[in-house]
Amino acid sequence: MNEHEHDASTRPAVSRPRTAPEDPPTAGLRRELPAEVPARASAAAREDVPQEEPAGPVLTGRQRLVQGLWPPRLTRAQLIVALLLFGLGFGLAVQVASHGEGDSALRGARQEDLVRILDELDDRTERLEDEKRGLEKQRDELENSSDQAEEARKQTIEKERQLGVLAGTVAAQGPGITMAIEDTNGTVEANMLLDAIQELRAAGAEAIQVNGVRVVAGTYLTDSGNGVDVDGNKITAPYRFKVIGKPQDLEPALHIPGGVVQTLEKEQATVTVERSTKIVVDALRAAERPDYARSSSR
């Protein structure tokens, strides 16, 4: 045994601590990428755990719009504006409907009836033009007269006479018509006679008398048993109208489609209208002095 062998055998043995075997190279690589394992684990967890169903059905765009609009959330100002717009729309609808009814009545009229209506409108326009020319003439006379005071007095007297005719305080005569209404069934009512008076006034009637009662601006009619009260005076059928005005305007106004004569005939009444060159309206009304109103002229 050589020296080296002696030394090795005689040298006390030194104990070395045992170490765990080294990990394979792949283990060190996994520790360098720690996020890869949790990512795979979370993916596996998502695959194992069942997904929760949506809370409710998916709403369409229209459904979301309806949910946003209803129930409405209005302020007081918005509510007031909405009510005003509703009232305006309702009024316009009623007006359009009323015009539509009038248009339908005209569409159903005969050609001769339409011609008569147009003639009546032309006559009314002509009357208004005559009245305008008369007023302009009075103005010119007052401006050009050398004695304006005397001219003003004459015009005042003439105006008083005209107002007396309209107020029923003086008698009147002139061309016009007479109308007789026979009511054997008692179906004629006060509102029908009032419609006749209003139609005659619109056609240019200047003085009207019914069964001895003078009709003026403030005249009222009411039903009274088997007759009609005119300003508190009881009258019964037959109802006789005496009207002063232009006969060519008064008679056609009563015969227009849907007018006075047609309405009365539907009630089984008989209506007779005659023209005359002289009608006398002699029923008078007492002049009434107002209690409080006084002339403002000085």
Side-chain angles (χ1 to χ4, degrees):
M1 179 176 59
N2 57 22
E3 184 178 358
H4 293 286
E5 291 178 351
H6 174 80
D7 292 338
S9 59
T10 60
R11 185 180 297 175
V14 179
S15 63
R16 296 181 178 178
R18 294 184 179 183
T19 60
E22 295 182 358
D23 294 335
T26 57
L29 180 61
R30 291 298 180 183
R31 284 196 297 270
E32 292 177 1
L33 301 176
E36 183 177 354
V37 173
R40 289 183 179 181
S42 60
R46 284 197 301 268
E47 292 178 355
D48 296 336
V49 178
Q51 300 294 324
E52 294 182 357
E53 295 296 332
V58 178
L59 298 180
T60 63
R62 180 177 297 179
Q63 291 173 339
R64 289 196 299 272
L65 177 61
V66 172
Q67 288 185 352
L69 295 178
W70 189 263
R73 301 174 180 85
L74 298 177
T75 64
R76 177 175 296 182
Q78 292 173 337
L79 180 61
I80 293 175
V81 171
L83 292 176
L84 292 175
L85 292 176
F86 174 77
L88 178 60
F90 180 77
L92 291 175
V94 171
Q95 185 175 6
V96 171
S98 62
H99 284 298
E101 292 176 358
D103 294 341
S104 61
L106 291 177
R107 285 195 297 268
R110 298 175 299 177
Q111 182 176 1
E112 54 269 24
D113 295 332
L114 294 175
V115 172
R116 184 181 303 171
I117 293 174
L118 290 175
D119 291 340
E120 182 182 356
L121 292 176
D122 292 338
D123 292 338
R124 291 183 181 180
T125 302
E126 184 179 354
R127 289 196 304 271
L128 292 175
E129 290 293 337
D130 292 340
E131 184 178 355
K132 176 184 176 182
R133 286 191 292 267
L135 294 174
E136 291 176 347
K137 181 180 178 181
Q138 292 179 7
R139 181 196 62 189
D140 296 339
E141 289 176 352
L142 284 173
E143 292 177 351
N144 301 327
S145 175
S146 58
D147 190 353
Q148 295 185 358
E150 180 63 21
E151 185 64 30
R153 187 183 67 83
K154 291 180 180 180
Q155 291 192 11
T156 300
I157 294 175
E158 180 64 21
K159 194 67 175 179
E160 182 180 1
R161 186 189 65 83
Q162 295 175 359
L163 293 176
V165 172
L166 297 177
T169 57
V170 298
Q173 66 178 16
I177 64 169
T178 59
M179 180 174 64
I181 303 174
E182 297 285 348
D183 182 25
T184 57
N185 297 329
T187 56
V188 176
E189 299 178 349
N191 64 318
M192 300 176 187
L193 299 183
L194 180 60
D195 290 341
I197 293 173
Q198 291 177 340
E199 192 63 45
L200 290 169
R201 283 175 173 168
E206 298 176 353
I208 304 175
Q209 177 177 316
V210 183
N211 287 30
V213 180
R214 188 70 168 267
V215 177
V216 295
T219 294
Y220 64 91
L221 290 84
T222 57
D223 294 317
S224 177
N226 59 347
V228 176
D229 278 350
V230 182
D231 290 337
N233 301 295
K234 178 70 172 293
I235 63 174
T236 57
Y239 304 106
R240 302 186 183 279
F241 285 70
K242 298 169 68 175
V243 187
I244 295 177
K246 188 177 180 180
Q248 295 83 353
D249 296 339
L250 298 176
E251 183 182 5
L254 298 173
H255 288 90
I256 62 175
V260 174
V261 174
Q262 186 174 351
T263 301
L264 292 172
E265 289 177 348
K266 287 182 179 179
E267 299 296 332
Q268 305 301 317
T270 303
V271 183
T272 304
V273 181
E274 295 181 358
R275 299 185 185 186
S276 177
T277 57
K278 183 179 180 180
I279 299 292
V280 177
V281 175
D282 51 6
L284 302 179
R285 299 176 68 96
E288 297 180 359
R289 182 172 181 176
D291 295 330
Y292 304 101
R294 295 292 182 268
S295 175
S296 61
S297 61
R298 295 180 180 178

